[in-house]
Amino acid sequence: QMQLVQSGPEVKKPGTSVKVSCRASGFTSPSFAVQWVRQARGQGLEWIGWIVVGSGNTVYAQKFQERVSISRDRSTSTVYMDLSSLRSEDTAIYYCAAGGIGGWNNYFDPWGQGTLVTVSS
Amino acid sequence: EIVLTQSPGTLSLSPGERATLSCRASQSVSNIYLAWYQQKPGQAPRLLIYGASSRATGIPDRFSGSGSGTDFTLTISRLEPEDFAVYYCQQYGSTPITFGQGTRLDIK
C-alpha cells in the first residue's frame, strides 16, 4: 500500500527558505513521480511541481520556477521541496502526492498528510 | 493555462438528495485527463474520480463522473452524512496542472 509521510510544521521568517520532506513507501516502480501542491488557509489547491524519483527529472510551475527546488534521496525514498525567498503569502499547507509513473498525465493518489509552513516576522 | 471554473460555489442539500457539481474548462482537457477530489476539514484531498469517469479504489458507486472536452460533472446519487465536504476538479493533461476553486457541499 502506497503511503507518503511528511515532515512537521515549520515557522520561518520572510526572506529565508524552508525544506519540507516527504517519505514514500510501498511504491514498486522507480519511475513514480511525487507531486507538490499547496493550499493557503481557506483557499484552493495550487500545483507547484513534480519529481520523478528514479531519474530525478523535475517539472515546475512557472510561478515557482525561480524559487523552488524539488530533490530526492533514492536511498531513503524521500523527496524534498525547498522554497526560497519566503514571503507571508507562502504561508500554507504543503502537500506531497503520488503522481503516477513519469509524472505526465497522472492524477494524484495518495496524498501526504500535509505540512503547515508559516512565514512570519 | 487551462482555467477550471466550478459551479455552484456552495450547494446546500439534505442527506438522501442528489448532488450535481459542475466543472467547466477554458479549453478542451486532453484525453479526458480530469479528476475529482474530496476534501474534509483538516484532511488532505482524496481522489474520487480520474479519467473523468473512473472511480478510484474504494470509492462508493454513488459517486459518478461524466463529461468530455470542456464540460464535466460529478454526481453523488444519494448523499450520505459523510459526503458533506469541499470538492475540487483538476486537469492533469497539460502543465501547469490546475484545479478548480472548489464547490462546498453543505448540509441543508
Side-chain angles (χ1 to χ4, degrees):
Chain A
Q1 182 181 353
M2 296 185 291
Q3 190 174 13
L4 297 168
V5 178
Q6 299 184 224
S7 49
E10 301 267 8
V11 179
K12 294 291 182 180
K13 293 195 180 302
T16 64
S17 298
V18 68
K19 195 167 190 174
V20 180
S21 70
C22 172
R23 181 167 50 84
S25 61
F27 292 81
T28 56
S29 169
S31 298
F32 76 91
V34 173
Q35 301 273 1
W36 288 91
V37 174
R38 77 178 185 181
Q39 184 174 38
R41 185 179 181 90
Q43 301 300 308
L45 301 165
E46 185 174 32
W47 175 68
I48 297 171
W50 81 67
I51 187 167
V52 179
V53 175
S55 65
N57 290 342
T58 54
V59 175
Y60 301 128
Q62 188 169 12
K63 174 178 177 176
F64 299 100
Q65 186 86 31
E66 295 185 2
R67 295 197 297 138
V68 73
S69 177
I70 301 175
S71 59
R72 93 295 191 207
D73 180 340
R74 291 178 64 182
S75 66
T76 60
S77 296
T78 301
V79 171
Y80 302 93
M81 192 281 303
D82 198 320
L83 188 63
S84 62
S85 302
L86 290 169
R87 34 206 187 233
S88 58
E89 310 89 88
D90 294 318
T91 294
I93 297 174
Y94 288 75
Y95 293 102
C96 62
I101 303 302
W104 295 100
N105 302 330
N106 282 291
Y107 46 84
F108 298 0
D109 181 53
W111 294 58
Q113 84 275 21
T115 296
L116 176 61
V117 174
T118 303
V119 183
S120 174
S121 55
Chain B
E1 173 176 332
I2 297 178
V3 176
L4 300 178
T5 302
Q6 293 186 239
S7 61
T10 302
L11 186 58
S12 296
L13 294 170
S14 300
E17 291 192 293
R18 180 185 185 91
T20 303
L21 287 65
S22 174
C23 176
R24 177 161 290 178
S26 60
Q27 53 189 281
S28 185
V29 176
S30 303
N31 293 343
I32 321 181
Y33 290 133
L34 192 286
W36 290 92
Y37 299 86
Q38 176 193 67
Q39 188 177 34
K40 296 180 180 179
Q43 297 184 16
R46 176 176 72 144
L47 177 70
L48 297 175
I49 301 287
Y50 64 91
S53 62
S54 297
R55 269 189 304 277
T57 302
I59 301 303
D61 59 8
R62 65 180 180 273
F63 290 90
S64 63
S66 62
S68 64
T70 60
D71 287 292
F72 299 88
T73 300
L74 174 70
T75 301
I76 311 172
S77 58
R78 286 180 57 86
L79 286 166
E80 298 287 342
E82 62 267 27
D83 298 337
F84 292 91
V86 179
Y87 292 83
Y88 294 96
C89 59
Q90 175 210 36
Q91 70 79 23
Y92 51 93
S94 64
T95 55
I97 294 169
T98 51
F99 294 86
Q101 83 280 15
T103 290
R104 179 179 303 277
L105 182 53
D106 285 343
I107 298 178
K108 190 172 183 180

